[in-house]
């Protein structure tokens, strides 16, 4: 696919026009000052430094050296043999990278194995909701996060979004897997590999004229603030939506699900002083870092169209189900974000989903008898299942690997 469809760009023109030409060069709407207190973090304390000006001081110099030495091909070859949590880093890695990985793969002292096991069971029982929210919902939010959309678009992965989705699905599937943090799982491996990719992108992306032209003055991408924004577009957003859908949520399950993502955040290189300790702290931080930065960009509109087209083609050859996909995405993220992403309106399906989905959730949670569930709900559920199948299987045959270039010009 060469770019967004004409229909998608036209449907986005109203939202983009409201911001004018400035929105195409600005990384987001006005950013609020950092006031979130480190006392609300898993560390319970910290310097309180604005994460906008903090990156990854452990990973960044190591990956810069790997790239400048020309070691990326040999490192990627070696890392293909590293696939399980209980494996040591493979032989053949440069000593500085091996030392970094040995430290980075350790769980934090505050990790709770019992909570991680409960979170795995929670992921299994709530898989339909979580994969839909973290897949479609989180994906649509990510394209409405200007910095994230542009970092993806102008980096190497932006040139092949099918492969980019596949690589992203590796981490998403690892987090949600029943064996996630068990010895035979791979969430530690996938998270650390993702951290390496982020560090490589920080080194490479400033060389991209396309990114530099649209970065709004940011000189190094993927700050700790940017990582927090992305983090909240996944667990915090998912928890909000499940509560909105009235999914029964025992407090122990909610705490375990948060803990899963707290440990994952640590493995991704987010400092402990920025990782929220409670859902209340997460909500407060999300309101400060995620909500104010959502905005439209040309890159985000194009990426959204590619993602939704991939999904429609997966669920029905020829794209017959694209209207349903559009409406489902709109239902998940709301009209404002959907307009910014350039997702077309689909009146019939939007009304159908708004009516049927709450009843379907209630039925699945044994809160509503079957006769009250509209027949159309099963069509919607099947579309959701097809996306999950797409999301979880695209990673087969691919690997998270360190890039050595940006998106080709």
């Amino acid at each position: 696919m060469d770019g967004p469809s004409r229909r998608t760009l036209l449907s986005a023109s109203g939202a983009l026009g409201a911001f004018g030409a400035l929105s195409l060069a600005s990384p987001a709407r006005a950013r609020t000052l950092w006031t979130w207190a480190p006392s609300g973090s898993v560390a319970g304390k910290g310097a309180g430094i604005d994460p906008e000006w903090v990156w990854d001081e452990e990973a960044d110099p190591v990956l810069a050296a790997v790239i400048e030495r020309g070691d990326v091909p040999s490192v990627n070859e070696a890392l293909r043999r590293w696939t399980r949590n209980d494996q040591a880093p493979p032989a053949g890695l440069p000593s500085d990278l091996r030392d970094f990985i040995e430290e980075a793969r350790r769980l934090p002292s505050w990790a709770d194995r019992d909570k991680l096991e409960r979170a795995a069971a929670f992921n299994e029982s709530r898989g339909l909701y979580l994969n839909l929210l973290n897949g479609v919902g989180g994906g649509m939010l990510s394209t409405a996060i200007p910095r994230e959309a542009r970092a993806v678009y102008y980096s190497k992965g932006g040139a092949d979004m099918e492969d980019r989705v596949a690589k992203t699905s590796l981490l998403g599937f690892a987090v949600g897997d029943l064996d996630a943090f068990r010895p035979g799982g791979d969430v530690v491996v996938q998270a650390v590999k993702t951290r390496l990719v982020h560090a490589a992108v920080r080194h490479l992306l400033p060389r991209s004229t396309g990114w530099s032209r649209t970065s709004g003055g940011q000189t190094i991408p993927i700050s700790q603030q940017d990582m927090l924004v992305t983090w909240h577009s996944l667990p915090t957003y998912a928890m909000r939506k499940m509560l909105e859908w009235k999914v029964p949520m025992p407090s122990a399950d909610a705490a375990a699900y948060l803990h899963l993502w707290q440990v994952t955040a640590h493995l991704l290189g987010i400092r402990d002083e920025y990782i929220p300790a409670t859902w209340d702290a997460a909500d407060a931080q999300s309101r400060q870092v995620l909500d104010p930065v959502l905005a439209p960009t040309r890159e985000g509109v194009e990426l959204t169209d590619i993602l939704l087209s991939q999904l429609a083609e997966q669920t029905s050859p020829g794209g017959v189900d694209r209207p349903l996909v559009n409406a489902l995405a709109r239902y998940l993220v709301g009209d404002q974000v959907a307009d910014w992403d350039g997702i077309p309106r689909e009146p019939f399906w939007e009304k159908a989903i708004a009516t049927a989905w709450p009843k379907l959730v209630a039925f699945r949670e044994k809160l509503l008898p079957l006769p009250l569930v509209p027949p159309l709900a099963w069509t919607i559920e099947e579309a959701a299942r097809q996306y999950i199948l797409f999301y979880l299987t695209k990673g087969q045959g691919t690997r998270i690997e360190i890039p050595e270039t940006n998106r080709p010009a």
Side-chain angles (χ1 to χ4, degrees), residues 36-45 262 272-278 281-282 285:
W36 193 81
S39 58
S41 70
V42 294
K45 60 182 180 179
Q262 289 168 334
D272 288 358
E273 70 175 271
Y274 297 134
I275 302 172
T278 66
Q285 190 184 85

Side-chain angles (χ1 to χ4, degrees), residues 14 27 34 44 81 119 139 143 151 172-173 176 209 226 263 272 276 320 325 329:
W34 176 255
R81 302 192 298 274
T143 54
F173 182 63
T209 56
D226 296 329
V263 177
D272 288 358
V320 175
V325 170

Side-chain angles (χ1 to χ4, degrees), residues 38-81:
S39 58
S41 70
V42 294
K45 60 182 180 179
I49 300 172
D50 187 339
E52 171 73 357
W53 307 107
V54 182
W55 289 269
D56 191 336
E57 61 187 19
E58 292 85 15
D60 291 352
V62 174
L63 267 294
V66 167
I67 293 170
E68 293 305 315
R69 291 195 303 256
D71 288 343
V72 170
S74 62
V75 165
N76 281 333
E77 180 64 31
L79 288 176
R80 289 171 189 161
R81 302 192 298 274

